[in-house]
Amino acid sequence: MLKKLFQSFRPPVPGQHHRRTTPEVINKSQHSLQRHQFSRHAVNIVERLQSAGYQAYLVGGCVRDLMLGISPKDFDVATSATPEQVRAEFRNARIIGRRFKLVHVHFGREIIEVATFRAHHSEEDQGDSHRSSHNASGRILRDNVYGTLEEDAQRRDFTINALYYDPVSERILDYANGVHDVRNRLLRLIGDPTHRYQEDPVRMLRAVRFAAKLDFGIEKHTFQPIRELAPLLREIPPARLFEECLKLFLSGQGAIAFEMLVDLELFEPLFPASARALEERPTYTHTLISQALNNTDLRVKQGKPVTPAFLFAALLWPALPGRVLHLQNQGVPPIPAMNGAAHDLIAEQCARIAIPKRFTLPIREIWDMQERLPRRSGKRADLLLDNPRFRAGYDFLLLRESAGEETDDLGQWWTDYQDANDSERREMIRELGSRDEGTGAGPRKRKRSGSKRKRSGGDEAFE
Ligand code: ATP
Ligand code: MG
């Protein structure tokens, strides 16, 4: 069945009931949007393009989010002007992209993305590989076929993303019954879902992301083909998947997104080794990853900074012990086994999701810390405290413990050590000397009482 899907490329089959050739027009009095809610720069761009004789609208996430009372992340403009024509209108404009040619108009730190109306691909277009091309499974490789406003609406992914707001007339144009779906909190792909996923499998991840972020349901036909088509994600360039994963996990609803990815079998093509760990040790792996994502979600909601390194360290950690053990069974000593396993695991993961070096390095450091935190004798504990990665390593240790890993209460020891004064610290180290130090194992009396347990939820780990 899958093979057949891979091979078949059918022309687009637009959804019967949500294709419109004339839009539904929602007048100012019929919706809640107000032009001052949109970025002033984006509104200026639209006005400028319209007065130059082009069609131009605010479109996509910003219209959708404002209708839902969410403040938009960015503002996208769609226009009948070609990228070159847009660039000619603005001094601060740059053409970017290959797969999608777009114009970025810069206003200080704000960038407004201006996209030319695009059409669906017809079979004839495929002869012209500069403008449009597909691979054997129907995936769009290049997409620069310009079209009308109506065509632009039809090639967008979800109905709720195909709403066009004109800040001049203050009307919304709706070609795909998006307003209805916004009001019913439903994600619905425009056109034939299987075909639209084959065209761009990342739309499956976008379905999860929007459902999680907006707390929307996924309409039955949009939902139904996902499990079967999930393996198509393996064809997506790893760099694009990295970007998409960040959006999935760092947008404030990462824990829910993770549940959905697993349920829809989209997790395996993204994180094959972690998916295997999830099968082999379901409770532990699930708790560790969910806990890390819950912490991240909390930080996002509090407006604190987050970095992907801690999260990827957690996502991959459950896949590590099996590999270390495997190497040790082949006679590799513990530390080189750990290093070798960590290296291989990250290299394998990067073949799927291109995690940049600036994140893979801290992942390794967080993992290395897990080896070092049990070894505290002499000056080691103080040296570790001074290590710039200490906080991330310590938070990661607490995370492991919260997932049920047995560490002989090492996290509490480090919590106490950070709270202790100099003489208390010396005493704690002396106590270690009388025990089987070096592994963190062995019974230990707790002297300090009333110390607060600091389960910070990974605070400084992200800074
Ligand atoms: P947000 O910016 O909040 O993540 P968004 O909907 O604006 O959400 P973008 O990735 O900024 O998402 O894309 C802008 C618009 O471009 C979308 O609303 C959608 O109409 C269209 N779009 C983006 N990606 C795709 C895709 N893969 N297939 C079809 N249309 C897409
Ligand atoms: Mg957007």
Side-chain angles (χ1 to χ4, degrees):
M1 179 64 191
L2 253 186
K3 199 159 174 213
K4 205 168 145 211
L5 284 176
F6 271 105
Q7 286 166 351
S8 68
F9 173 71
R10 289 170 289 134
V13 183
Q16 299 79 11
H17 65 287
H18 42 268
R19 170 152 201 172
R20 313 175 65 109
T21 45
T22 51
E24 185 175 347
V25 179
I26 297 106
N27 288 314
K28 190 182 169 184
S29 61
Q30 297 167 299
H31 64 75
S32 60
L33 299 186
Q34 295 181 345
R35 52 181 280 151
H36 71 78
Q37 295 176 292
F38 291 84
S39 147
R40 188 171 49 83
H41 295 131
V43 172
N44 287 347
I45 290 175
V46 170
E47 287 175 342
R48 172 85 166 265
L49 287 169
Q50 287 191 6
S51 47
Y54 304 108
Q55 291 170 277
Y57 299 89
L58 290 147
V59 68
C62 63
V63 182
R64 174 199 72 214
D65 287 355
L66 285 171
M67 288 188 83
L68 291 163
I70 300 172
S71 66
K73 196 161 73 25
D74 48 38
F75 294 86
D76 299 314
V77 171
T79 179
S80 60
T82 63
E84 290 73 17
Q85 288 169 330
V86 175
R87 189 177 50 187
E89 287 297 319
F90 303 97
R91 260 188 308 115
N92 43 347
R94 230 187 288 150
I95 296 180
I96 58 140
R98 204 173 105 88
R99 189 177 165 277
F100 274 116
K101 231 189 206 184
L102 295 166
V103 182
H104 275 178
V105 187
H106 293 253
F107 299 91
R109 290 180 62 184
E110 189 180 1
I111 297 174
I112 308 290
E113 207 163 271
V114 183
T116 304
F117 296 152
R118 282 181 172 75
H120 266 307
H121 300 251
S122 62
E123 303 278 343
E124 305 89 76
D125 290 329
Q126 290 178 63
D128 182 352
S129 65
H130 287 296
R131 293 164 66 215
S132 148
S133 72
H134 292 83
N135 73 353
S137 61
R139 183 158 65 83
I140 298 177
L141 301 176
R142 204 168 299 127
D143 190 9
N144 286 314
V145 182
Y146 302 129
T148 62
L149 168 58
E150 185 215 328
E151 287 168 322
D152 188 72
Q154 301 305 331
R155 66 93 196 167
R156 287 182 183 266
D157 49 4
F158 301 97
T159 61
I160 60 167
N161 286 346
L163 296 168
Y164 296 77
Y165 177 68
D166 177 355
V168 178
S169 67
E170 298 182 72
R171 296 189 311 183
I172 297 172
L173 303 186
D174 181 0
Y175 287 90
N177 288 335
V179 171
H180 172 273
D181 288 337
V182 168
R183 293 189 174 141
N184 289 287
R185 306 186 79 81
L186 215 50
L187 271 175
R188 188 197 307 270
L189 269 175
I190 298 171
D192 174 58
T194 297
H195 175 73
R196 299 305 309 278
Y197 291 137
Q198 286 174 326
E199 256 182 4
D200 183 4
V202 169
R203 289 174 186 147
M204 296 186 274
L205 299 180
R206 289 174 61 88
V208 168
R209 173 154 70 92
F210 294 129
K213 169 180 154 172
L214 307 172
D215 190 21
F216 268 39
I218 303 179
E219 181 272 332
K220 184 170 87 206
H221 298 95
T222 298
F223 177 89
Q224 187 270 327
I226 295 183
R227 285 195 185 97
E228 189 167 358
L229 299 180
L232 291 179
L233 283 177
R234 298 199 184 112
E235 293 179 34
I236 303 299
R240 186 166 177 223
L241 286 184
F242 175 73
E243 294 302 323
E244 211 49 49
C245 274
L246 287 193
K247 290 185 194 165
L248 271 165
F249 291 136
L250 300 180
S251 64
Q253 297 292 351
I256 293 171
F258 168 63
E259 299 298 336
M260 295 181 68
L261 289 177
V262 172
D263 184 42
L264 288 169
E265 296 171 26
L266 293 164
F267 188 65
E268 198 280 335
L270 297 176
F271 294 92
S274 312
R276 234 169 293 132
L278 201 52
E279 268 175 24
E280 286 160 11
R281 296 172 70 195
T283 311
Y284 163 72
T285 305
H286 187 271
T287 312
L288 187 108
I289 294 176
S290 306
Q291 196 63 42
L293 286 163
N294 277 321
N295 295 344
T296 307
D297 289 346
L298 191 65
R299 286 185 62 85
V300 171
K301 280 170 205 146
Q302 294 169 337
K304 294 183 180 173
V306 289
T307 114
F310 191 87
L311 201 57
F312 278 99
L315 278 159
L316 294 174
W317 176 258
L320 203 53
R323 286 157 186 257
V324 178
L325 207 64
H326 180 72
L327 289 178
Q328 283 186 280
N329 288 342
Q330 292 177 342
V332 182
I335 303 274
M338 168 78 178
N339 287 337
H343 174 274
D344 292 353
L345 178 57
I346 290 177
E348 265 177 57
Q349 182 59 49
C350 285
R352 239 1 115 71
I353 296 179
I355 309 170
K357 268 242 157 47
R358 68 178 185 282
F359 300 128
T360 57
L361 227 56
I363 295 173
R364 292 290 300 271
E365 288 166 346
I366 289 168
W367 288 350
D368 284 346
M369 269 284 164
Q370 306 313 300
E371 283 283 283
R372 296 169 66 184
L373 286 169
R375 298 200 297 269
R376 295 153 286 172
S377 62
K379 291 206 171 1
R380 281 176 176 166
D382 287 330
L383 283 173
L384 278 174
L385 264 190
D386 287 341
N387 187 308
R389 290 285 166 218
F390 171 80
R391 186 68 204 206
Y394 163 73
D395 283 333
F396 200 81
L397 172 66
L398 296 185
L399 176 71
R400 290 167 51 210
E401 290 181 348
S402 74
E405 258 190 73
E406 190 44 70
T407 66
D408 187 30
D409 235 1
L410 185 62
Q412 184 63 49
W413 190 93
W414 276 108
T415 304
D416 292 345
Y417 195 75
Q418 291 173 80
D419 284 346
N421 63 29
D422 278 351
S423 66
E424 287 170 327
R425 285 184 178 180
R426 277 197 297 277
E427 173 59 22
M428 287 175 79
I429 300 293
R430 244 196 317 277
E431 253 185 63
L432 285 177
S434 59
R435 305 187 314 122
D436 179 16
E437 218 280 312
T439 60
R444 172 165 42 99
K445 281 191 289 206
R446 170 144 300 109
K447 270 240 173 120
R448 284 169 54 82
S449 61
S451 71
K452 279 176 271 127
R453 238 181 136 79
K454 250 204 250 158
R455 298 238 174 223
S456 62
D459 261 29
E460 275 88 283
F462 298 92
E463 277 146 22

